[in-house]
Amino acid sequence: MLKITHLPAVALLSVAALASCQNAGNKTGIPGVTRKEIPKSKFISPPLVTHIYTADPSAHVFNGKVYIYPSHDIDTGTPENDNGDHFNMKDFHALSMDSVGGEVKDNGVALDIKNIPWAGRQLWAPDAAFEKGTYYLYFPVKDKQDIFRIGVATSKSPVGPFKAQPKPIEGSFSIDPCVFKDTDGSYYMYFGGIWGGQLQRWATGSYSGPNGSKTDLQKDDAPALTAKVAKLGANMLEFSEKPKDVIILDEQGKPLLGKDHDRRFFEGSWMYKYNNKYYFTYSTGDTHNLCYAIGTSPYGPFTYKGVILEPVQGWTTHHSIVQIKDKWYLFYHDTELSGKTHLRNVKVTELKHRPDGSIETINEFAK
Ligand code: FUB
């Protein structure tokens, strides 16, 4: 969510190439953005939609159809800063498709910030769930005190419109909710994000105010700050317990340390189950990896296993992993359309597990 401080060389070349072709034909529907000269061969996958900017895709299969719940990036002219203020989103659109590779439909506004009674600004990465005939949309947004909280909205349709609850989820904080349904029917929410996601402000167990460290407390040799997990109540609208730390261990069984920026948790939690193991997957933020760690319980601990997706074009990296028919897919984003950190586009590519359960690392520039 911060400035572009690291981009692979090939990505920098791509941004430059994109900047030089803004006046060409083949419009995308976004003013000033064209695709004609974008060197498509640089990327393994095209944007799923090109008429709006989208990011942070949470994909689900509901009743046999694929639904994607992304952030809806817009340019409000908010200057870029270390809090991620330039990610100033104001609504959500749900996307849908019958199959991967098929037509992607934008189903219009699913939830608008003006209809969330407690919201202040910045609607960030959402997730969704379906239980007993109701669809639930979970979302982070800053409250009127500028503190990120997690809210929930409900609908009888997977694409909304969703009606927001009058208050945020009691005991929620920070960003990036991921709601996971275990095979026994229990639901868990994984959440949190450091730096602009404010997780470090809660390191003592209560809110420390806005003036603490903007990053991960600079405690390089202490266990890294990490995501939180809490079981959801039967009504899907509240936590049934106090959130716990999602512990990620190294190969020696020790928690990853704050200085381990290539592997420690930053934001963008996603959980899925494969061969009876729990895969906790996440972004390393300032080192731009999507990583995975495996455990035998939804609460962890999880042992770090490797990189799922190497750095994409753009600062942020955020994803979901879902089985569709007999294949697994990684939904992710980059900045192919705009070349700008805060104007992203969602994509999908196949994800492959090896026979031992490890994941084949994906590079979005390598065909
Ligand atoms: O989209 C805003 C933020 O950027 C998300 O919450 C993070 O995961 C990052 O993708």
Side-chain angles (χ1 to χ4, degrees):
M1 296 165 295
L2 306 179
K3 293 169 189 141
I4 300 181
T5 54
H6 167 97
L7 276 178
V10 67
L12 287 167
L13 284 173
S14 176
V15 171
L18 182 58
S20 68
C21 71
Q22 295 287 302
N23 298 321
N26 192 11
K27 290 196 172 18
T28 60
I30 301 171
V33 178
T34 59
R35 296 197 64 212
K36 192 172 176 188
E37 289 87 353
I38 293 172
K40 292 192 180 69
S41 59
K42 278 198 190 308
F43 300 95
I44 54 170
S45 300
L48 283 176
V49 292
T50 58
H51 66 295
I52 56 172
Y53 293 113
T54 53
D56 310 323
S58 290
H60 292 273
V61 178
F62 294 137
N63 294 318
K65 194 163 171 149
V66 183
Y67 294 91
I68 306 156
Y69 300 87
S71 300
H72 176 197
D73 285 353
I74 50 170
D75 195 356
T76 58
T78 312
E80 192 167 322
N81 64 17
D82 283 356
N83 281 329
D85 284 353
H86 46 303
F87 295 101
N88 195 7
M89 297 85 99
K90 297 184 188 305
D91 66 18
F92 293 121
H93 289 220
L95 308 177
S96 58
M97 56 190 183
D98 290 329
S99 58
V100 173
E103 189 193 343
V104 182
K105 184 173 175 202
D106 174 0
N107 296 281
V109 176
L111 179 64
D112 192 302
I113 195 168
K114 65 177 188 287
N115 295 324
I116 304 169
W118 53 273
R121 61 180 181 138
Q122 296 183 282
L123 263 187
W124 282 13
D127 194 16
F130 175 58
E131 182 64 17
K132 296 193 177 81
T134 299
Y135 293 88
Y136 297 85
L137 185 66
Y138 298 90
F139 56 88
V141 68
K142 284 180 180 163
D143 66 14
K144 296 191 196 299
Q145 286 72 48
D146 232 26
I147 301 170
F148 267 119
R149 305 278 182 184
I150 296 170
V152 54
T154 59
S155 175
K156 289 293 169 192
S157 161
V159 299
F162 286 86
K163 184 167 171 41
Q165 292 291 300
K167 291 187 177 163
I169 294 175
E170 177 78 30
S172 71
F173 51 90
S174 197
I175 61 168
D176 290 0
C178 158
V179 172
F180 163 71
K181 183 179 188 178
D182 204 349
T183 37
D184 68 357
S186 307
Y187 281 90
Y188 299 85
M189 182 185 288
Y190 299 81
F191 64 95
I194 59 175
W195 298 23
Q198 302 181 344
L199 188 61
Q200 67 280 356
R201 297 185 187 177
W202 298 87
T204 58
S206 58
Y207 187 63
S208 63
N211 299 321
S213 168
K214 288 200 165 114
T215 63
D216 21 353
L217 305 178
Q218 312 298 332
K219 290 185 181 162
D220 277 0
D221 292 312
L225 291 173
T226 191
K228 301 283 179 182
V229 56
K231 201 169 189 173
L232 291 185
N235 65 6
M236 303 288 285
L237 303 175
E238 60 193 12
F239 295 154
S240 67
E241 60 187 0
K242 198 167 173 251
K244 303 171 172 42
D245 280 347
V246 175
I247 306 291
I248 308 172
L249 304 173
D250 66 13
E251 54 287 351
Q252 267 87 49
K254 302 222 168 75
L256 295 182
L257 300 181
K259 65 184 171 196
D260 195 348
H261 288 217
D262 283 337
R263 301 192 297 175
R264 64 92 170 86
F265 171 82
F266 189 100
E267 63 187 1
S269 298
W270 186 261
M271 166 60 69
Y272 71 99
K273 204 169 178 181
Y274 178 77
N275 279 352
N276 225 23
K277 297 262 172 58
Y278 295 85
Y279 284 61
F280 178 69
T281 66
Y282 58 97
S283 162
T284 61
D286 57 333
T287 50
H288 318 282
N289 293 317
L290 284 181
C291 294
Y292 71 111
I294 298 180
T296 54
S297 154
Y299 291 111
F302 302 94
T303 301
Y304 179 86
K305 291 293 176 185
V307 172
I308 299 166
L309 179 66
E310 291 178 347
V312 296
Q313 177 179 300
W315 200 97
T316 65
T317 186
H318 188 122
H319 72 299
S320 58
I321 294 171
V322 62
Q323 183 173 16
I324 302 173
K325 299 201 170 119
D326 57 346
K327 289 187 173 174
W328 287 84
Y329 292 93
L330 173 75
F331 288 77
Y332 64 104
H333 69 230
D334 65 16
T335 61
E336 178 179 355
L337 287 176
S338 75
K340 292 182 181 163
T341 313
H342 65 298
L343 299 176
R344 301 159 291 178
N345 46 258
V346 297
K347 297 186 165 186
V348 61
T349 192
E350 191 178 344
L351 176 138
K352 291 184 179 152
H353 297 95
R354 298 190 188 87
D356 66 358
S358 61
I359 294 174
E360 289 184 13
T361 302
I362 298 165
N363 180 315
E364 79 150 344
F365 305 105
K367 290 250 184 198

